[in-house]
Amino acid sequence: MSDPIPINTGSINAAPPVPPERAGARLDRYLAEALDFSRSRLKALIEQGHVRLGDATIADPSHKIKPGDVYQLHAPEAASAEPLAQDMPLNVVFEDAHLIVIDKPAGLVVHPAPGNPDHTLVNALLHHCGDSLAGIGGVKRPGIVHRIDKDTSGLLVAAKTDAAHHGLAELFARHDIEREYQALVWGLPNPLQGRIEGAIGRDPRDRKRMAVRGDNTTARNSKPAVTHYAVERTFRDAAGQPYAALIRCRLETGRTHQIRVHLTSKGHALVGDPVYGRARSLKALKLGGAARDALAGFQRQALHAASLGFVHPVTGADLRFESPLPADFADLLAALTAG
């Protein structure tokens, strides 16, 4: 055991005495479970000298614990986030001390990145949540556990505390999150409902795109992905030919661009998708001018995160939220319905 070192203490978390059956376990693993922190976060805190056993500092994450040991985590105050807090409108669906659910509009980037350094959802959450952010990984920032593409609208949950971030991440890892999307696709899927499987990874010909790289169990440089879909409405032209369908998709996994890639792989790209969809000639369709203009003018992928359900990672409450279609999507459907 090393000598104590000065600590800028923000809060003290005492783990319960080590039970006999946990003797010999790693310190970082035990504290992560006992204090509901992520193991990577606990490892960093231990290495930084923020864990004590009595008056001694334990700086080795692999330290073997003994029965009866009582460890204290002296968690430092969360540091200020690097992204700027920016006052931006947010449609808050639900919020408590642990997490926040947002109905994101199309056009809003979730996280700062090259090309979008600010005016993102993270910037807006930093301003909205303020001091209610307890800190994720020691930084006052929202914990983003899943993302929605810039031009996809709908529901997204973010954590405000380490415990919620850790719990939500586990729910996503176990696929215990209910996520359903509405999508307008070209053509009519056959069968009308089904399951799409295919491992998703970077397109070897274009690193900015994703692609189905093969079977879920054998594909390399990719991750298994499963999408369930069901057709809700079919749109036919004046000759009775189906040219588009509104479908509901349920994600079993959550890979980058999953719905867009899976549906494109089956020949049913999303209407308006600038990356995976090909420009469609509308001349062959017997459509009225309003419907044709609406399709030609829809400049984003027609995809909306319509429902989100999960068990609250801290309180255990069953939560489920629904989001109506945004105006641009609803107007598009109305134009197609009118013909």
Side-chain angles (χ1 to χ4, degrees), residues 62-129:
S62 65
H63 170 83
K64 304 302 182 184
I65 61 177
K66 298 177 181 179
D69 284 352
V70 177
Y71 295 91
Q72 288 187 335
L73 170 64
H74 295 247
E77 292 285 359
S80 296
E82 290 184 6
L84 296 174
Q86 294 175 310
D87 188 2
M88 300 165 56
L90 283 178
N91 185 359
V92 179
V93 177
F94 173 86
E95 182 176 12
D96 64 9
H98 310 285
L99 54 83
I100 184 170
V101 178
I102 299 295
D103 196 342
K104 187 188 84 67
L108 179 62
V109 175
V110 171
H111 200 280
N116 294 103
D118 56 13
H119 290 91
T120 69
L121 178 61
V122 166
N123 298 107
L125 288 172
L126 285 169
H127 181 273
H128 173 85
C129 297

Side-chain angles (χ1 to χ4, degrees), residues 15 27-37 42 46 51 71:
L27 177 61
D28 58 351
R29 185 184 297 276
Y30 172 69
L31 289 183
E33 297 171 357
L35 300 178
D36 203 13
F37 278 66
L42 252 302
I46 294 170
V51 172
Y71 295 91

Side-chain angles (χ1 to χ4, degrees), residues 300-332:
R300 70 173 180 94
Q301 63 264 15
L303 185 62
H304 177 67
S307 68
L308 177 67
F310 56 93
V311 175
H312 195 296
V314 178
T315 69
D318 288 321
L319 301 177
R320 190 177 190 280
F321 309 97
E322 294 190 0
S323 168
L325 286 174
D328 64 338
F329 203 147
D331 289 346
L332 173 62

Side-chain angles (χ1 to χ4, degrees), residues 180-229:
E180 289 191 344
Y181 290 71
Q182 286 183 290
L184 183 68
V185 301
W186 292 110
L188 180 61
N190 181 25
L192 297 181
Q193 63 180 24
R195 170 188 173 102
I196 303 174
E197 291 191 35
I200 292 177
R202 291 288 172 186
D203 189 327
R205 295 169 296 181
D206 184 348
R207 300 297 294 173
K208 294 182 179 180
R209 293 164 51 104
M210 308 301 287
V212 172
R213 301 291 300 272
D215 182 82
N216 271 347
T217 59
T218 61
R220 296 182 178 182
N221 301 316
S222 58
K223 295 181 179 180
V226 177
T227 303
H228 301 265
Y229 74 89

Side-chain angles (χ1 to χ4, degrees), residues 281-302:
S281 172
L282 301 177
K283 295 181 180 179
L285 300 177
K286 299 183 182 300
L287 297 176
R292 183 179 290 107
D293 290 346
L295 285 168
F298 201 79
Q299 299 299 311
R300 70 173 180 94
Q301 63 264 15

Side-chain angles (χ1 to χ4, degrees), residues 235-255:
F235 297 94
R236 300 177 183 272
D237 64 13
Q241 295 299 311
Y243 65 88
L246 179 67
I247 66 175
R248 183 169 288 267
C249 297
R250 178 172 61 83
L251 293 183
E252 189 171 313
T253 56
R255 310 306 180 198

